[in-house]
Amino acid sequence: MDLKQKRMNELIHQIRECRKCTLWKNAKNPVPGEGDLNTSLMMIGEAPGYHEDIKGQPFVGSAGRVLDELLMSIGIKRNEVFIGNIIKHRPDENRDPNEEEIKACGSYIERQIQIIKPRLIVTLGRHSTKYVMSNVDVEFRGISEIRGKVFEKHLFGIRLKIMPTFHPAATLYNPTYRNFLENDFQMINKLLEEFS
Ligand code: URA
């Protein structure tokens, strides 16, 4: 087993045992995230929902189907990227995670970024965007203002690009978001081509 996998396995073990907040009490399974540890692209969502909690995997419900379609539109399979969330246990009733929970869980995504060392991070929705931007000193005033913009930054000691976009679930409530997401995924494709 290579070093990255070993470090990720240790982290997953810590996530399973984590009692830093109370979300574990109502959760069925932790959702640490999954995918290629040698990828250039890491996608970060907010928190597991109902289906993710049951399966222990990120983005496997209706938002996940949209994410898979968007990835497919640029010729990428989900197992070629790493998909994770800021919050590792499902908030009850799918409520928004609070500040303390985000703070408590943040060290896990930080260490995942340090293990994977991606070249591009795409934040999905306002919670993950706000969290990531607060760690690179970019003022976050709202997802609509910042989406589709590319930031070149040092995040947790790793030099990389960050591009925020809407959460895929937004398209389920308002189909007009789909066009924005499709455009942003074209930008992801361009950025990945620049790396290769
Ligand atoms: N929404 C998220 O932000 N993450 C998931 O894993 C599923 C839905």
Side-chain angles (χ1 to χ4, degrees):
M1 188 190 302
D2 76 1
L3 188 60
K4 277 189 175 190
Q5 191 64 62
K6 189 166 172 282
R7 289 178 67 202
M8 188 62 83
N9 289 354
E10 283 164 8
L11 195 57
I12 290 170
H13 179 74
Q14 289 170 27
I15 292 169
R16 281 190 191 290
E17 308 278 298
C18 184
R19 302 293 182 259
K20 287 200 257 179
C21 76
T22 55
L23 291 180
W24 65 275
K25 287 188 183 173
N26 293 318
K28 291 191 173 56
N29 288 295
V31 182
E34 64 183 16
D36 185 354
L37 303 187
N38 294 307
T39 183
S40 303
L41 172 59
M42 199 165 163
M43 315 208 84
I44 305 179
E46 173 188 332
Y50 176 82
H51 296 281
E52 290 76 20
D53 181 49
I54 289 175
K55 290 199 175 170
Q57 291 175 273
F59 283 95
V60 288
S62 42
R65 271 196 297 281
V66 177
L67 181 59
D68 287 348
E69 285 166 18
L70 288 162
L71 284 169
M72 243 156 25
S73 76
I74 55 168
I76 297 178
K77 296 192 199 79
R78 70 146 55 208
N79 65 3
E80 293 171 333
V81 306
F82 189 90
I83 303 174
N85 286 306
I86 304 282
I87 297 287
K88 309 301 192 194
H89 286 99
R90 181 192 182 210
D92 32 289
E93 309 301 326
N94 284 356
R95 65 168 171 79
D96 285 347
N98 64 37
E99 287 298 323
E100 282 96 79
E101 288 156 355
I102 291 173
K103 205 164 155 221
C105 219
S107 68
Y108 296 121
I109 197 76
E110 173 175 343
R111 278 148 72 198
Q112 287 177 313
I113 291 167
Q114 288 167 334
I115 291 169
I116 296 167
K117 298 186 175 55
R119 302 191 64 184
L120 173 63
I121 286 183
V122 173
T123 52
L124 303 167
R126 73 191 157 95
H127 288 285
S128 59
T129 302
K130 190 172 170 202
Y131 178 78
V132 167
M133 288 304 162
S134 72
N135 282 287
V136 291
D137 282 333
V138 173
E139 193 188 351
F140 175 76
R141 287 192 295 255
I143 187 70
S144 301
E145 184 186 299
I146 207 172
R147 66 140 273 277
K149 292 187 181 160
V150 180
F151 298 82
E152 194 154 354
K153 294 284 176 189
H154 271 105
L155 175 65
F156 307 131
I158 314 292
R159 182 102 193 140
L160 43 71
K161 291 186 172 156
I162 302 165
M163 196 193 78
T165 189
F166 289 123
H167 195 287
T171 65
L172 304 171
Y173 309 110
N174 185 344
T176 58
Y177 286 113
R178 179 86 189 202
N179 277 346
F180 290 114
L181 270 158
E182 283 174 1
N183 286 343
D184 291 350
F185 272 66
Q186 289 303 324
M187 176 58 88
I188 295 171
N189 203 19
K190 250 192 230 150
L191 291 167
L192 293 177
E193 274 169 11
E194 280 171 22
F195 301 149
S196 59

